[in-house]
Amino acid sequence: MTIAPVQRSTSLGSSAWTDARLILALEEVVEKELNRHLKVAKEWMPHEFVPWSRGRDFDGVLGGEAWQSADSKVTPLGRVSLVVNLLTEDNLPSYHHEIATMFGREGAWGAWVHRWTAEEGRHGIAIRDYLLTTRAVDPVELERARMAHMSEGFESDNAHSMLQSVAYVAFQELATRISHRNTGHFAGCELADQLLAKIANDENLHMIFYRNLLKAALEIAPDQAMRAIADVVTDFRMPGHGIPGFERAAAQIALGGVYNLRIHHDDVLQPVLRHLKVMDVQGLGPEGARAQQELGVFLEGLDAQAAKFEERQAALLARRAARKQA
Ligand SMILES: [Fe+2]
Ligand SMILES: [Fe+2]
């Protein structure tokens, strides 16, 4: 199901960095960033965000009450979004496999891979406990979706390139942060908002780790790193794309303002690119300069697409509001 990292032939000449050399060259940066991460990451307890006293037995083995939609006040958008976020977190075993295969399980890289996995592990635990205790979603549907999604596994689009893998996770961790944060805002439940803010904070620290690593890569191998960034940005898709019914859920999530093209451009791509000053990198070779130019053209196009999306979104929401008043 998963492809081991392979070296792609490259047009960057014989001086090009191989993945193995890059991993070695970045080990010191990984160690420094891991230590910084461990200093700033504050311990938090997922169980404190679950209202256990509101929990009730379900039907089945314990003969409790079957789930019904009226059990919870969480908004429809909040429910859809919480489920997508949870199923995305659920696929952690596959993500762990992908990054452990790419970065290794030894030394500083290995220490990071395991620490990151431990932190990610609490996200799925906390969201599931919250959803089941508050009866926010159908537990049978949720379990079937989890089984279907995890049975598919997750195969990284970037398993052939170490630099693409680093670039992808830098953007993806921020995308996940924004998605959790906005889900909390629209969930209609203060506790869900607080829990998702905690999770979003973890994702933010993950983003900073990978972004700083990408910065170091841009200094060591600017042309290859620029190519990797351009390829990742132009081909980006969320890790949950394989979730059953993802397209429909993604459309609701976009319309509701949890995650859409405007947010992707303004709150995910641009902050990372600006922080790394990607568009201002000077002195690139022909391949790096071409990648930088491609990136610029793509971002302009994306911005225009986002503007069109916003027009459609406003029109649709206005029609809905008018229908409600009629
Ligand atoms: Fe997470
Ligand atoms: Fe994360």
Side-chain angles (χ1 to χ4, degrees):
M1 197 178 289
T2 316
I3 306 163
V6 288
Q7 290 298 316
R8 249 192 187 174
S9 64
T10 164
S11 57
L12 293 164
S14 56
S15 64
W17 287 81
T18 61
D19 281 358
R21 279 179 64 207
L22 276 165
I23 284 172
L24 212 62
L26 287 169
E27 174 110 29
E28 235 174 78
V29 185
V30 170
E31 192 178 347
K32 190 180 111 213
E33 287 302 317
L34 173 64
N35 288 333
R36 190 194 49 73
H37 175 86
L38 294 174
K39 256 190 214 139
V40 294
K42 286 198 187 77
E43 185 186 45
W44 65 277
M45 294 294 155
H47 70 270
E48 291 177 13
F49 294 85
V50 179
W52 302 102
S53 65
R54 281 200 252 152
R56 276 184 287 134
D57 294 348
F58 286 103
D59 54 335
V61 179
L62 294 175
E65 290 162 61
W67 177 84
Q68 48 179 338
S69 168
D71 284 348
S72 161
K73 296 256 183 307
V74 169
T75 61
L77 175 62
R79 294 180 199 215
V80 169
S81 202
L82 274 157
V83 168
V84 167
N85 289 3
L86 172 56
L87 293 174
T88 303
E89 297 283 352
D90 276 340
N91 240 351
L92 180 59
S94 281
Y95 308 144
H96 172 85
H97 180 272
E98 293 293 86
I99 69 163
T101 305
M102 173 56 76
F103 300 146
R105 309 199 316 160
E106 309 298 323
W109 279 104
W112 165 255
V113 166
H114 290 119
R115 168 74 191 207
W116 173 87
T117 304
E119 291 185 9
E120 290 292 352
R122 70 183 160 211
H123 300 167
I125 292 169
I127 298 175
R128 177 163 283 97
D129 285 348
Y130 167 83
L131 289 177
L132 295 181
T133 310
T134 62
R135 291 180 165 243
V137 297
D138 183 340
V140 176
E141 239 180 66
L142 181 66
E143 175 60 6
R144 288 183 181 148
R146 187 190 66 79
M147 283 298 294
H149 182 47
M150 288 189 73
S151 299
E152 288 296 313
F154 170 83
E155 216 176 279
S156 165
D157 295 333
N158 305 293
H160 58 277
S161 156
M162 187 267 173
L163 285 174
Q164 272 189 225
S165 297
V166 172
Y168 177 75
V169 286
F171 294 110
Q172 182 270 324
E173 291 283 3
L174 184 52
T176 312
R177 174 206 182 188
I178 298 288
S179 174
H180 283 308
R181 198 73 197 89
N182 289 345
T183 298
H185 288 155
F186 291 111
C189 167
E190 210 183 307
L191 192 57
D193 193 24
Q194 284 171 8
L195 168 62
L196 292 167
K198 273 284 174 203
I199 295 175
N201 192 45
D202 283 354
E203 311 293 19
N204 194 45
L205 293 181
H206 299 160
M207 178 277 289
I208 292 170
F209 176 92
Y210 287 123
R211 188 190 64 191
N212 292 351
L213 206 54
L214 189 55
K215 184 171 190 261
L218 263 170
E219 282 159 17
I220 294 174
D223 289 288
Q224 276 172 266
M226 189 62 74
R227 171 45 65 203
I229 293 169
D231 286 352
V232 161
V233 168
T234 52
D235 245 347
F236 189 90
R237 53 181 186 163
M238 291 295 257
H241 58 81
I243 290 170
F246 181 74
E247 297 298 325
R248 195 161 175 265
Q252 281 174 270
I253 285 166
L255 186 67
V258 171
Y259 202 93
N260 55 40
L261 277 187
R262 173 52 65 210
I263 292 167
H264 184 60
H265 177 274
D266 290 6
D267 301 339
V268 175
L269 297 181
Q270 289 292 3
V272 174
L273 295 171
R274 267 200 306 269
H275 183 91
L276 298 176
K277 299 188 172 61
V278 169
M279 299 314 290
D280 306 324
V281 173
Q282 305 279 330
L284 291 163
E287 179 63 5
R290 199 176 316 132
Q292 193 180 36
Q293 199 199 359
E294 278 171 30
L295 189 60
V297 171
F298 176 82
L299 289 169
E300 264 178 44
L302 188 69
D303 193 30
Q305 258 181 284
K308 275 194 196 135
F309 163 80
E310 282 179 304
E311 278 173 32
R312 282 201 307 275
Q313 180 191 33
L316 208 69
L317 293 176
R319 272 208 301 280
R320 275 195 192 174
R323 232 181 289 146
K324 252 190 198 165
Q325 275 179 350

